[in-house]
Amino acid sequence: MAVDGIINEYIQSLIRSDRLGAQVVYYRVMPESPATWSDLHIPLPNEIDNILKANSIHGLYRHQAEAVGQVRSGRHVVVATPTASGKTLIYNLPLFEKVLADPGTRALYLFPLKALAQDQLRAFEALASFCKTVMPTARIYDGDTSAWHRKRIRASPPHVLMTNPEMLHLAILPHHPQWADFLSALKLVVVDEVHTYRGVLGSHMAQVFRRFQRVCRYYGASPTFIFSSATIGNPHQLAARLTGLTTIHTVSDSGAPQGKRHVVFIDPYEGAAQTAILLLKAALHRGLRTIVYTQSRKLTELIAIWAQNRSGPFAERISAYRAGFLPEERRTIEAQLSSGKLLAVISTSALELGIDIGDLDLCILAGYPGTVISTWQRGGRVGRSGQESALIMIAGEDA
């Protein structure tokens, strides 16, 4: 049976279940939507077009073409479209074009998580490997970068420096004379997952970005900002308040395809953790690739242990994932999940953002994540290839 049929059978079995059926308080099917494509007003250089074709990319979604066109015109852009809608190409394509035209071009990519930077570096290098004339380079500069590598990066900056807000604040801006060559050639600044910079963190980041722009002006640079976000209601307002920029073009109408999605809410009798284990066990027996999100590290470990003890032959194909694991451990889990070696992962919010973990079929939320943004962000980790998927949210004991 195809995955689509299995998902539908799984959800219908849940609704009819003697044990859990009465606990289902809401069920909705979100219909699939096809892809919509668009051409750029000015075609990309032949070399970049060939790179895309070599990666089996034969066109741009509507929102990709709109955003790339704006960036190529030097306008600041905020892109707020669902997970897996191809936002990475929106900033990599203009960067590649600028590097081919001027190898002295530099760009700064800011990611809120180290794992996200690692994932983006792999995607960047895979794309860059097809370049024939100038090979765009990228390096990560974060807390895991050794002192020796940091010195080398400062002395000979790559085309793209991938880092995080803390390193920008603590390691780059206070020592900007050491980064003079990089800052003076800065053409693009990418702020990925910009919706994470809200509340108190957003207030701090607003000051960091203003300081950063003053330093850029000191070195004669006026980079174009590209903000990438999950689907939120006020992307322009957020980006503008965060940076002080006012002329920001908003792209929020996604052209990416979306498969059929089942959305289920459960009000459990036995608690969110026990219910999540029952749902996970049923999913494993159907071969559904599943991610379970919890609200704490402790609960992540407990559910993983309980699931492993009660899942029989699937015990070796289940893993926990949380911040606190060694970087090598997290990279291994991400790779195993992406390759299909792992069938299920139980995670905290550490896997909420856009890290590539392959094609998953089912997302179980053990408790409300706290915001609508986080709910849809986590739910967006499934059905990335357009296949039928499901999001099940289990109510917790809090409001």
Side-chain angles (χ1 to χ4, degrees):
M1 187 186 297
V3 170
D4 289 3
I6 298 173
I7 280 285
N8 185 65
E9 184 273 330
Y10 173 81
I11 295 297
Q12 298 309 317
S13 296
L14 167 62
I15 294 171
R16 295 192 301 266
S17 166
D18 293 335
R19 186 170 184 179
L20 296 176
Q23 301 170 44
V24 174
V25 295
Y26 179 84
Y27 171 54
R28 176 186 174 189
V29 177
M30 301 176 70
E32 62 182 333
S33 58
T36 53
W37 309 89
S38 184
D39 293 326
L40 293 167
H41 294 302
I42 302 174
L44 291 166
N46 288 335
E47 183 167 355
I48 295 179
D49 198 41
N50 291 335
I51 292 170
L52 292 176
K53 290 177 181 176
N55 284 271
S56 300
I57 301 171
H58 300 287
L60 296 179
Y61 298 135
R62 178 180 56 213
H63 67 279
Q64 290 176 319
E66 180 184 354
V68 168
Q70 294 293 326
V71 174
R72 294 170 87 194
S73 299
R75 299 185 183 94
H76 307 300
V77 174
V78 56
V79 184
T81 55
T83 304
S85 56
K87 291 190 282 285
T88 300
L89 279 182
I90 290 172
Y91 44 83
N92 278 339
L93 292 183
L95 183 278
F96 278 35
E97 184 176 25
K98 288 180 181 296
V99 169
L100 290 175
D102 176 13
T105 295
R106 296 295 182 263
L108 179 70
Y109 288 11
L110 293 174
F111 302 106
L113 297 176
K114 293 178 183 178
L116 196 50
Q118 293 283 347
D119 186 64
Q120 289 290 324
L121 178 63
R122 287 191 292 269
F124 182 94
E125 290 180 337
L127 209 59
S129 66
F130 291 93
C131 290
K132 302 297 183 183
T133 53
V134 179
M135 177 77 74
T137 57
R139 297 289 183 272
I140 291 176
Y141 193 88
D142 62 20
D144 294 335
T145 308
S146 67
W148 183 79
H149 277 106
R150 290 189 192 190
K151 186 176 180 179
R152 285 196 64 185
I153 290 171
R154 289 194 299 268
S156 181
H159 293 112
V160 175
L161 185 72
M162 297 183 176
T163 187
N164 53 59
E166 289 79 7
M167 292 298 286
L168 176 63
H169 170 58
L170 296 171
I172 297 177
L173 293 181
H175 310 286
H176 59 82
Q178 299 179 29
W179 294 92
D181 291 344
F182 176 79
L183 292 168
S184 61
L186 198 59
K187 297 294 191 293
L188 292 178
V189 175
V190 174
V191 185
D192 197 30
E193 308 289 358
V194 68
H195 59 277
T196 60
Y197 306 124
R198 57 188 191 272
V200 174
L201 175 60
S203 298
H204 290 315
M205 284 306 301
Q207 301 303 323
V208 173
F209 278 123
R210 282 159 175 77
R211 188 161 132 241
F212 171 59
Q213 290 177 81
R214 287 198 301 272
V215 171
C216 286
R217 287 193 293 270
Y218 178 78
Y219 289 101
S222 180
T224 300
F225 278 75
I226 307 170
F227 304 93
S228 169
S229 171
T231 303
I232 56 175
N234 61 338
H236 182 277
Q237 182 188 47
L238 175 61
R241 288 187 175 182
L242 200 59
T243 58
L245 300 171
T246 54
T247 54
I248 304 173
H249 183 82
T250 302
V251 178
S252 57
D253 188 9
S254 176
Q258 177 67 61
K260 182 190 294 184
R261 180 170 299 176
H262 301 260
V263 179
V264 178
F265 289 177
I266 292 179
D267 189 7
Y269 299 158
E270 301 181 66
Q274 290 292 339
T275 305
I277 292 168
L278 291 174
L279 293 170
L280 176 57
K281 188 175 181 181
L284 290 171
H285 282 287
R286 290 170 170 81
L288 296 175
R289 300 184 62 194
T290 306
I291 184 165
V292 180
Y293 283 103
T294 70
Q295 299 302 95
S296 69
R297 294 184 183 185
K298 181 179 179 180
L299 196 56
T300 294
E301 294 290 354
L302 285 175
I303 292 180
I305 293 169
W306 289 336
Q308 288 168 345
N309 290 338
R310 296 167 58 177
S311 61
F314 302 103
E316 297 299 319
R317 302 187 67 187
I318 303 171
S319 175
Y321 184 102
R322 57 177 175 77
F325 283 6
L326 294 172
E328 298 78 14
E329 292 176 306
R330 294 200 300 271
R331 299 299 93 76
T332 299
I333 294 169
E334 291 160 16
Q336 290 178 340
L337 195 58
S338 182
S339 68
K341 185 175 181 180
L342 282 179
L343 198 55
V345 64
I346 296 90
S347 175
T348 58
S349 59
L351 273 179
E352 178 179 315
L353 301 181
I355 303 164
D356 185 6
I357 50 177
D359 296 326
L360 304 182
D361 309 306
L362 173 64
C363 174
I364 300 171
L365 305 180
Y368 178 54
T371 65
V372 176
I373 294 175
S374 292
T375 301
W376 287 120
Q377 183 80 4
R378 295 180 187 190
R381 304 320 306 260
V382 298
R384 291 169 69 96
S385 294
Q387 79 272 28
E388 192 171 354
S389 60
L391 168 63
I392 301 177
M393 191 176 84
I394 309 166
E397 296 179 356
D398 57 1

